Each structure stands twice: as C-alpha cells, then as structure tokens.
Amino acid sequence: INAGSTALTHSITGLKNGTAYTFSIQATNDSGIGPTSSPSNRVTPIDIPGIPVNVTATAGNAQATVSFSAPDPDEGSIITGYTVTSSPSGGTDSNAGSAVLTHTITSLKNGTAYTFSVKATKSAGTGPASTPSNPVTPIGVPGAPFNVTATTGRYSQALVSFFSPEIVDGSTITGYTVTSNPSGGKDVNAGSTELTHIIVGLVNGTVYTFSVQAENIAGTGPASSPSNSMTPAHPEKNNRPSNGR
C-alpha cells in the first residue's frame, strides 16, 4: 500500500493467513526501475483466533466445569490456549492457558448463579470472548446441625431435637438423619425435615448419645457434635414403688 513512496518500510496487504511469503524490492528514479533485490526472509501472516463456540457449564461444589468447542479454523498458527472467565467475577480457571476444551473453574461461591465466557490465544494474540454459557449455581453439602438434645421417650425410645445448620451451601435441606451411639437405634423420621426425631429400638439401661446429619441435593453433610447422654428405661421400672410392692 506504500508502492511508489520513498518510505523505507512498506505494508503489504491482501495476503492469505497461513501461507508463507518472501518479498523483493525494486527502486525507481527518473531513468526507470532498477533491478530486483534478493528475496527477504520467509514469513507467514497470522491473525488472532476466532470465538470459541458451544460453551456449556456444569455446577459442582464451589466450582464449575466449562466445556466448549474450538473456533472455526483460520489457516493461521495453532491455538496455544484458552482462558475461561466467570460472571460475576471471582472464579479461577485452573486450566487457564491450556489447549484442553474442558476447564475447571474454582473459587466460586455456593448459592450464586454464574455464567462463563471463553477466549482463545495464539502467537498473534488473544481473540474475542465467546457468547456466555448457560447459567449454573454451585452448591455444596450442608453444614452440621447443632444444639442436639436427647430426652427419654417411651419404652426403648429417645426424642432427639436439634437446630438446622447455619451453612446450607446454596441448596435447601431435604432431610435429616439421626444416628445412635452405640448403634442399633432406628430413626423413624429419617429423611424428613422435622427438627425432632423419634429413635426406636434402643436397649433399656444402655447409655446413648446421638448425632445428626443434614442432606441436600449435593449430598450428606458432616455429623453434628454428639448430644447429651441418656439412658432409656422401661416406664414400669421408673414408676415401681420403692418398697417393691
């Protein structure tokens, strides 16, 4: 595009990306055009990459998996890597700069909805961002219930009451299960969201404690601290007169 000028640097357009070229030069004065120079070094024009497509996200616990397809080929240099960005910000692409087509994004906040966009990079630079992915909301298992209290119920039973976890990690609790120690007790309310459960099948005269776990769609959370200890006893024995009659 600088043909005929006296500038010592010229720009050559209309080249095809991915094709190797050399260049020669001729000088002109009033007497005419001089001989052609020796060819230049060989160069291959390239462009920044195009836009990744088919970006799909799947939620995990405080993370997401983002898969996508490579941009349409442009006959230039190969793509050296991809980087995924979260919206809202805060996610960390643990595969940033790699050329794999599935990246894991960590450091997300459970209960917050995210979308993700992808950029491709090669030696010419970084291309434009993709269209955002589908929105996903990371979730984790709930925290431990607390203030677990056990009282004696009817024959061979206990009543176990507790408070819901302070941390639900992005999803509604779907149920609780109470476990006896020693084992053998059966939670007749297992899987319900009631905050008082009846435990049956206990052995009278045995000392028990109880722990509680909460569940959501991500799975089962950690067990609570044990309850106070209690000992089930037959009501008739508790009400028997002191003189034995």
Side-chain angles (χ1 to χ4, degrees), residues 24-51:
S24 58
I25 305 170
Q26 293 175 289
T28 301
N29 63 16
D30 291 342
S31 298
I33 300 173
T36 301
S37 70
S38 298
S40 70
N41 57 297
R42 188 179 300 271
V43 295
T44 302
I46 58 174
D47 193 8
I48 61 173
I51 299 172

Side-chain angles (χ1 to χ4, degrees), residues 85-92 107-109 112 114-115:
T85 302
S86 67
S87 178
S89 61
T92 300
S107 302
L108 302 179
K109 184 178 180 181
T112 297
Y114 291 87
T115 60

Side-chain angles (χ1 to χ4, degrees), residues 30 62 68-69 73 81 89-90 93 122 130 137 159 168 198-199 201 206 245:
D30 291 342
F68 48 90
S69 299
S89 61
D93 182 356
K122 57 184 181 179
S130 69
T137 302
L159 299 178
V168 296
I198 299 173
I199 314 303
T206 299
R245 291 178 297 179

Side-chain angles (χ1 to χ4, degrees), residues 22-242:
T22 62
F23 304 91
S24 58
I25 305 170
Q26 293 175 289
T28 301
N29 63 16
D30 291 342
S31 298
I33 300 173
T36 301
S37 70
S38 298
S40 70
N41 57 297
R42 188 179 300 271
V43 295
T44 302
I46 58 174
D47 193 8
I48 61 173
I51 299 172
V53 294
N54 300 330
V55 183
T56 304
T58 303
N61 183 3
Q63 65 181 34
T65 300
V66 180
S67 299
F68 48 90
S69 299
D72 291 334
D74 60 2
E75 299 180 338
S77 62
I78 63 171
I79 290 173
T80 57
Y82 298 93
T83 300
V84 178
T85 302
S86 67
S87 178
S89 61
T92 300
D93 182 356
S94 60
N95 305 102
S98 80
V100 298
L101 298 180
T102 297
H103 286 213
T104 300
I105 314 305
T106 60
S107 302
L108 302 179
K109 184 178 180 181
N110 286 335
T112 297
Y114 291 87
T115 60
F116 304 90
S117 58
V118 187
K119 293 181 181 181
T121 299
K122 57 184 181 179
S123 58
T126 299
S130 69
T131 301
S133 71
N134 55 297
V136 296
T137 302
I139 60 172
V141 297
F146 63 103
N147 288 351
V148 183
T149 304
T151 57
T152 302
R154 301 176 65 182
Y155 177 62
S156 301
Q157 296 182 1
L159 299 178
V160 179
S161 300
F162 48 89
F163 286 83
S164 59
E166 295 179 339
I167 300 173
V168 296
D169 249 357
S171 179
T172 302
I173 291 174
T174 57
Y176 298 94
T177 299
V178 178
T179 302
S180 67
N181 183 27
S183 61
K186 179 182 178 182
D187 181 357
V188 299
N189 306 104
S192 82
T193 56
E194 297 294 327
L195 298 180
T196 297
H197 285 215
I198 299 173
I199 314 303
V200 300
L202 304 177
V203 177
N204 291 327
T206 299
V207 178
Y208 288 90
T209 60
F210 303 89
S211 59
V212 188
Q213 290 175 284
E215 299 177 8
N216 64 13
I217 60 174
T220 302
S224 68
S225 298
S227 71
N228 57 292
S229 59
M230 55 81 63
T231 305
H234 195 294
E236 293 181 358
K237 292 184 178 180
N238 290 342
N239 295 328
R240 188 175 294 171
S242 59

